Structures are given as C-alpha cells and as structure tokens.
Amino acid sequence: MKNLGNMLKQAQQMQSKMQEMQAKLEAATMEGQAGAGMVRVTLSGKGDLKGLVIDPSLMVADEREVLEDLIVAAHADAKAKVEAMMSEEMSKATSGLNIPGMGGGGLGGFKLPF
C-alpha cells in the first residue's frame, strides 16, 4: 500500500509540474528566421502564429516565390525552437519521477498532443 501512496504522490507532483509547464508554454514565444533575418516568424510556446515580419526589400512581385519559401523556412525554424523548448520543459517536469510506463522518469516514447 505504501508503494501505491508513493505513486499517487508522484502523479500529483507530475500533474503540478505539467500545469506549471503549460502556463510557461502559453507565455513563451519563439522567433524563427530565414533569409539572414529578412523574414521573421514569432510563434507562441503552443505553436500559434503571433507575428510575421518581412523586410520591405522582399516585397517585389517577381520575388513572390522566394518570399513564400522564406516564410515557410522561418516558420519551420520557429517551430523547431518551440519543439525543443517543449521537450526541455517536459524533461524538467518529469525528472525524478519514476512512474511505471513512463520510461524511468521520462515519457518513454509517449507523445503528448501539445
């Protein structure tokens, strides 16, 4: 029964850490860029688009495809940074917890929907 009590305590600790992580992610922003900073995309920690900055020199009709590619690249850069931050925060939230099925303190291959 003591083991069950420890598991419940660890689950409560993890829930608390996850709530803290969620709040931190909602408040965080990450910026990605492409074209040596000529296109910058800002995403929230949840991956929502918060801003887009385009250097005016790219606003040329003949360069539309280049601009589109740079926007996609800047978004991918920002998204990779958000995912790295989420992974780091998840590691912090689950460190020290030994919950069965969670890979000895981590998430053991589980993928969360955020």
Side-chain angles (χ1 to χ4, degrees), residues 32-55:
Q33 56 180 312
M38 295 179 79
V39 174
R40 296 188 313 267
V41 171
T42 303
L43 298 180
S44 74
K46 296 273 194 169
D48 297 327
L49 181 64
K50 295 295 183 178
L52 172 64
V53 177
I54 301 170
D55 188 284

Side-chain angles (χ1 to χ4, degrees), residues 30 45 76 78-89 111:
M30 287 289 167
K79 186 174 181 183
K81 290 176 181 177
V82 166
E83 289 173 354
M85 178 185 64
M86 285 175 39
S87 178
E88 181 180 327
E89 290 300 318
K111 186 167 176 124

Side-chain angles (χ1 to χ4, degrees), residues 55-71:
D55 188 284
S57 67
L58 293 173
M59 304 281 190
V60 179
D62 295 343
E63 300 293 322
R64 191 183 105 232
E65 288 182 17
V66 172
L67 177 56
E68 291 169 350
D69 290 343
L70 290 173
I71 292 170

Side-chain angles (χ1 to χ4, degrees), residues 10-28:
Q10 287 181 343
Q12 288 173 336
Q13 288 173 343
M14 183 175 174
Q15 181 180 16
S16 175
K17 287 182 178 182
M18 295 294 282
Q19 288 172 341
E20 290 173 19
M21 182 188 75
Q22 289 284 350
K24 191 172 185 176
L25 288 174
E26 286 179 25

Side-chain angles (χ1 to χ4, degrees), residues 101-103 106-112:
M102 298 297 266
L107 287 178
F110 288 131
K111 186 167 176 124
L112 297 177

